[in-house]
Amino acid sequence: MSTPPLLEVRDLVKHFPLPRTFGDALAGRPRRAVRAVDGVSFSMAGGETLGLIGESGSGKTTLGWVVGHLHPPTAGRLLFDGADATSLSGSALRRWRRNVQTVFQDPVGSLDPRMRVWQIVGEPLSAQRNMGRAELRNRVGELLPQVGLPPDCLDQYPHEFSGGGRQRLSLARALSVEPRLIVLDEPTSALDVAVQAQILNRLVELQRERGIAYLLITHNVSAVRYVADRVAVMYLGKVAELGSVRQVLEAPVHPYTKALLAALPVADVRRRRARYRITGEIPTLVDPPPGCRFAARCPFVVDLCRRVEPLLTELAGGGGRLVACHRAAEVADVRPETFVTSEPTAAPSPPTGPGSVVS
Amino acid sequence: MADAKPAVPPGPPRRRIGALRVIGDLITVLRANPLTLAGFVLVALIMGTAVLVAGVPFVSGLFTGHSVEVLPYAPNQISTAVKQGPSLAHPFGTDNVGEDIFSQVLYALPLDLFIGFAVTGFALLVGGLLGLVAGYWDSPGTVGGFSSVAILRVTDVFLAFPSLVLALAITAALGRGTFPAILAIMLSWWPYYVRLTRGEVLAVKHLPYVTAARGAGVSDLRILRRHILANILEPLTVYYTMDVGTVLITFSTINYVGIGVPLTVPEWGNQIVLYQDFLLNLPWTVAAPGLAIFITVLAFSLLGDGLRDILDPRSRRALTRSAGSASAGSEEA
C-alpha cells in the first residue's frame, strides 16, 4: 500500500492506575492498574466502517475514547494519515478534532440541558473558529435536515426531543465540522429497535455521501452486520479476532467469537445444540493471568493456553484475517451454534434436544 | 432581533427569543406560585425601601445642598411622645425617650441589606472561584491537583470552626466597628461556598455532555463557563439568595452579643439589645426590629425557593405549561 491508512493504532495501551493500598505498600507490591486496553493494533482506511464488539468490560469504549482523544493513552501510538497523533494538545488537538469526532452512547446526558439546539450542534464549529451567531445558526439550520430533523427547531432545548431525536442531534454535532472519522460509541444502544434502524440507515447514507469512516463500538452484533465492513472482537482489553464482517460473523474462528455469536437469541429453536459450554464471568482486568485471557472460560483450552499468550496472527489462507488463538486451525470448523454460554437448564448430560434454553 | 432571521423557514409564529421569553415565562410562573410571588414582591419592597431610605437624602443632598429625609423622624430624634404603642403617627410605637421605632427600623434597613449582600457576594465570588478551580483541575500529580489540595486544606481549617464562633473571634481580635464586623463575617463565610461550588463542579464535570464538549474541541475555560458554571449557577443562586438572610441573622447575633457594630449605629441586632430591657413594658420596641429580620429572611428564602424552579429550563417549561392552561396558551402549538 502506498497511501497510509486513515487511522493506524499500534500497540495501544490504556491502564487506569488503582490507588495503592496500604497493604500493597507494606508488602512492596507495585502499583496496580486496570488494564482496560492492553496492546491493541489495527488500521482503518478512509470511508471504512470498523465494528468493535465485545461484552461489557472488554475495553472497547475505552479504546474508542483513546482514539477520540478523550483519554490519553498509556503507551502505544496513534497515527492519522500517517502522521503521529499520539499525544496532542492545544491547537494541534483542535485540528485533530476537526477530523475525528465522537458520538456518545447516552443521548440524554451528552447534550447540555441548558443549551439550545443551535448552540449544541454548533459547538464543535464554534470551537474551531469564531463564528457569528447568525452564521452559526445558518450552518446548523443546514445540518439538521441531513440527520432528519426539521430545520426550525434551532431554539429548542434537548429535553423537547425524543431519544432518537437527541441521538440525531449528537450526530449532527459530530458532522458539523465534516470529520473524516467518527467514533460511534454505542450510538444506538439506548434507543428502541425501530429508531435504531433509522439511525443506522442514516449513518450508512451519510457514509455513502461523504466517505466518512466510522469506528462503530457496540455490543449489537446485528448493527455491526448491517453497517460495518470489518469487525474486531475484543476480549479483556485485547483483540481476539479481526476480519471482514462476513468472515468473522459467518465463520468465526476464535472460541470467544463463537461464544459471543452463540449467545445471540435465534428464532429457530431447532438450531440450538449445546456441545461446548462457556461458564463464569469475564475475569478482572486488574491482574490478568498469564497466557490466553480467554483460557479460564474456553472449552478448547489446553495447557499451552494457560502459559503462553497467543499473538494476533494472520490465519493461513484467511485473506487478511487475524486471530489470537493457539488452536485456531483446529477449532476453526466448530460451529458457534454448538455453544451455550450458561449452564443449561437440563443438566448434567449435554442437552441436545430443542428444549434446551439459553439465557 | 436582526440576527434571529436565519435562512431557515420561519414556520408558524415563532416563540419569543431570549430575554423577552424568559421574562414572559417568569410572569407565568409567578402567577402560578403564590409563595414565590410573595417572595418576589417582598424582596422588591424591601430593596425599594432601602434604596429610598438611603438614596433620597444622599441624592437630594448632592443636588440641592440640603438632604430631603424620607423617614418621618430622624432615628435618634427625641420627642415628648414617650412609651407610646403603635399608632398612625408612630406605626411601631416609640421608646422610653420618644424615639420613633418605625424610623429606626427603616433607617437600619440599608445597612443590614448591604451587609447581607456584601458578605454573600464576597463569599460567592471568592469561594465560588476557588471552588471552581479546586473542582475542575483536580487530577492528582498535576499543578491543578496540588492547587486543589491546597485550596481545600485551607478551607478545611476555616470550616473547623462554626462560622458564628469564627466571626465572633475575628471581631474580638479586630476590635469594635462596622467594618471589622463585616470583615469578620466575610472571612468566616467564604469556605462554605468553596465546598458547595466544588461539590457541584464534581457532580457536573463527569457528565457526558462535558466529555462531549471536550470531544468537540471546546477549550477548558469555555467548558468551565458554558457547561459547568452555567449548570451549577442554579443551585448557587438559590443558596446565595437564601444565605442573605442567614448573614443578616449572624450579623445581628454578633451585634446582639455586643462585639460588632457600636451600639450607636442603628442596626436591628443593636436595637434588640438596646430595647431588651423593655421587652415586657414596651414590647413593640423589640418586636419591630425582630419582625424586620424575620420578614427579610423569609422574603429571601421564598425568593430562593422560587428561583430554583424558574432557573431550570425543564421545570420552567413544565410550570409554564401547567400555568398556561389557565392563561391562554400563547406559548407552544
Side-chain angles (χ1 to χ4, degrees):
Chain A
M1 275 205 200
S2 53
T3 54
L6 179 70
L7 175 79
E8 195 177 349
V9 171
R10 281 191 202 155
D11 298 319
L12 201 69
V13 175
K14 177 65 191 177
H15 290 180
F16 294 101
L18 291 174
R20 200 172 177 189
T21 62
F22 189 59
D24 282 349
L26 274 185
R29 278 189 291 263
R31 201 187 172 89
R32 303 198 303 172
V34 175
R35 297 152 176 266
V37 176
D38 211 5
V40 169
S41 304
F42 63 85
S43 63
M44 288 177 69
E48 182 195 32
T49 301
L50 176 66
L52 204 56
I53 55 175
E55 63 197 294
S56 305
S58 59
K60 53 191 194 307
T61 291
T62 306
L63 178 58
W65 281 39
V66 173
V67 169
H69 267 285
L70 296 164
H71 285 321
T74 308
R77 288 184 75 194
L78 215 61
L79 287 94
F80 194 83
D81 262 345
D84 187 81
T86 312
S87 49
L88 298 173
S89 60
S91 59
L93 184 58
R94 203 173 318 128
R95 254 177 279 121
W96 156 273
R97 302 237 188 257
R98 200 160 56 206
N99 287 320
V100 182
Q101 286 283 315
T102 311
V103 171
F104 295 88
Q105 171 175 12
D106 177 5
V108 180
S110 59
L111 307 174
D112 189 331
R114 276 172 195 283
M115 286 171 52
R116 294 168 195 273
V117 164
W118 69 272
Q119 293 169 313
I120 292 173
V121 174
E123 190 161 45
L125 270 177
S126 53
Q128 288 296 338
R129 62 189 183 88
N130 259 330
M131 277 179 105
R133 185 187 147 108
E135 191 189 356
L136 197 59
R137 287 173 63 93
N138 255 326
R139 187 74 195 91
V140 174
E142 291 162 15
L143 268 167
L144 292 175
Q146 296 174 17
V147 293
L149 286 171
D152 61 347
C153 58
L154 286 177
D155 289 306
Q156 291 183 2
Y157 285 105
H159 69 263
E160 297 174 63
F161 290 82
S162 65
R166 288 179 214 194
Q167 203 54 294
R168 286 170 198 273
L169 286 179
S170 286
L171 191 57
R173 170 168 63 185
L175 286 172
S176 64
V177 288
E178 295 171 5
R180 294 167 65 196
L181 170 67
I182 300 183
V183 178
L184 301 162
D185 181 12
E186 310 257 14
T188 58
S189 54
L191 308 174
D192 64 62
V193 182
V195 181
Q196 282 185 18
Q198 292 170 10
I199 298 278
L200 291 176
N201 277 328
R202 202 58 236 155
L203 285 171
V204 171
E205 284 168 29
L206 285 165
Q207 184 169 52
R208 218 170 284 150
E209 288 163 17
R210 307 176 178 199
I212 311 170
Y214 295 136
L215 179 59
L216 175 64
I217 298 159
T218 183
H219 49 243
N220 184 345
V221 175
S222 40
V224 168
R225 203 188 297 267
Y226 184 61
V227 178
D229 304 304
R230 290 189 305 142
V231 58
V233 181
M234 277 191 79
Y235 186 74
L236 278 183
K238 288 194 177 279
V239 172
E241 185 164 4
L242 198 159
S244 75
V245 167
R246 272 208 30 216
Q247 292 169 334
V248 174
L249 297 187
E250 301 309 323
V253 172
H254 196 284
Y256 175 67
T257 316
K258 295 179 200 282
L260 194 69
L261 296 176
L264 296 178
V266 179
D268 183 2
V269 283
R270 279 164 306 175
R271 275 186 64 193
R272 219 19 99 203
R273 285 190 20 232
R275 295 240 320 270
Y276 304 103
R277 216 172 273 167
I278 305 296
T279 53
E281 286 290 303
I282 183 165
T284 165
L285 288 158
V286 176
D287 281 315
C292 176
R293 302 220 161 160
F294 192 54
R297 297 167 82 190
C298 182
F300 306 107
V301 65
V302 292
D303 202 35
L304 177 69
C305 302
R306 297 208 175 87
R307 283 185 287 110
V308 181
E309 184 164 346
L311 297 174
L312 198 63
T313 44
E314 193 165 339
L315 205 63
R321 178 163 187 198
L322 304 169
V323 179
C325 179
H326 290 306
R327 303 186 67 195
E330 300 161 61
V331 300
D333 293 331
V334 176
R335 303 286 305 154
E337 291 88 334
T338 55
F339 272 70
V340 279
T341 49
S342 60
E343 292 295 327
T345 46
S349 64
T352 48
S356 64
V357 178
V358 173
S359 59
Chain B
M1 313 259 166
D3 54 10
K5 216 177 71 186
V8 162
R14 280 317 312 156
R15 42 188 84 210
R16 287 155 290 158
I17 305 283
L20 214 60
R21 182 165 144 201
V22 173
I23 293 172
D25 284 354
L26 183 78
I27 293 170
T28 333
V29 171
L30 284 184
R31 282 171 60 173
N33 297 274
L35 279 181
T36 311
L37 182 64
F40 255 91
V41 170
L42 276 177
V43 168
L45 272 178
I46 291 168
M47 306 268 270
T49 314
V51 167
L52 279 181
V53 169
V56 171
F58 178 72
V59 173
S60 60
L62 269 186
F63 284 101
T64 63
H66 66 94
S67 48
V68 177
E69 290 296 332
V70 202
L71 298 173
Y73 303 92
N76 45 9
Q77 180 185 339
I78 303 169
S79 75
T80 49
V82 295
K83 300 183 183 177
Q84 288 193 353
S87 66
L88 272 181
H90 304 284
F92 293 161
T94 59
D95 65 4
N96 59 327
V97 289
E99 292 173 359
D100 181 45
I101 303 294
F102 179 72
S103 299
Q104 286 190 344
V105 167
L106 287 195
Y107 189 84
L109 177 64
L111 176 68
D112 276 282
L113 266 194
F114 169 75
I115 282 159
F117 280 111
V119 170
T120 44
F122 174 83
L124 186 67
L125 214 67
V126 173
L129 214 62
L130 290 175
L132 273 181
V133 172
Y136 191 70
W137 287 284
D138 73 337
S139 39
T142 61
V143 179
F146 180 77
S147 75
S148 169
V149 169
I151 290 170
L152 291 177
R153 288 302 86 81
V154 173
T155 308
D156 285 345
V157 170
F158 278 86
L159 283 175
F161 303 95
S163 60
L164 184 59
V165 173
L166 187 62
L168 287 175
I170 298 174
T171 328
L174 291 178
R176 247 186 139 146
T178 310
F179 182 69
I182 297 175
L183 196 67
I185 306 180
M186 277 180 175
L187 285 180
S188 60
W189 223 256
W190 63 269
Y192 295 92
Y193 283 79
V194 176
R195 281 285 170 184
L196 177 76
T197 313
R198 174 176 171 268
E200 296 289 342
V201 171
L202 288 183
V204 171
K205 84 166 187 178
H206 288 300
L207 288 181
Y209 61 78
V210 177
T211 314
R214 278 205 296 134
V218 184
S219 66
D220 271 347
L221 278 180
R222 195 157 159 169
I223 288 179
L224 211 50
R225 189 166 54 85
R226 290 280 295 269
H227 294 283
I228 294 186
L229 194 58
N231 278 289
I232 66 170
L233 217 52
E234 170 204 327
L236 283 186
T237 313
V238 172
Y239 188 82
Y240 169 86
T241 314
M242 293 183 162
D243 214 28
V244 172
T246 320
V247 169
L248 272 185
I249 291 178
T250 308
F251 185 62
S252 296
T253 310
I254 292 177
N255 291 331
Y256 180 80
V257 174
I259 53 174
V261 174
L263 276 179
T264 47
V265 177
E267 193 279 331
W268 293 334
N270 275 350
Q271 284 163 14
I272 294 178
V273 184
L274 280 173
Y275 293 128
Q276 59 184 344
D277 294 340
F278 305 117
L279 183 60
L280 292 180
N281 303 341
L282 313 170
W284 52 85
T285 54
V286 182
L291 211 62
I293 295 175
F294 170 74
I295 289 175
T296 312
V297 174
L298 179 74
F300 279 99
S301 297
L302 288 177
L303 179 68
D305 235 7
L307 278 180
R308 198 198 320 264
D309 296 334
I310 291 158
L311 289 174
D312 183 357
R314 272 161 303 188
S315 71
R316 182 169 73 222
R317 312 282 309 153
L319 285 165
T320 315
R321 215 164 282 143
S322 66
S325 53
S327 64
S330 54
E331 284 277 315
E332 294 285 80

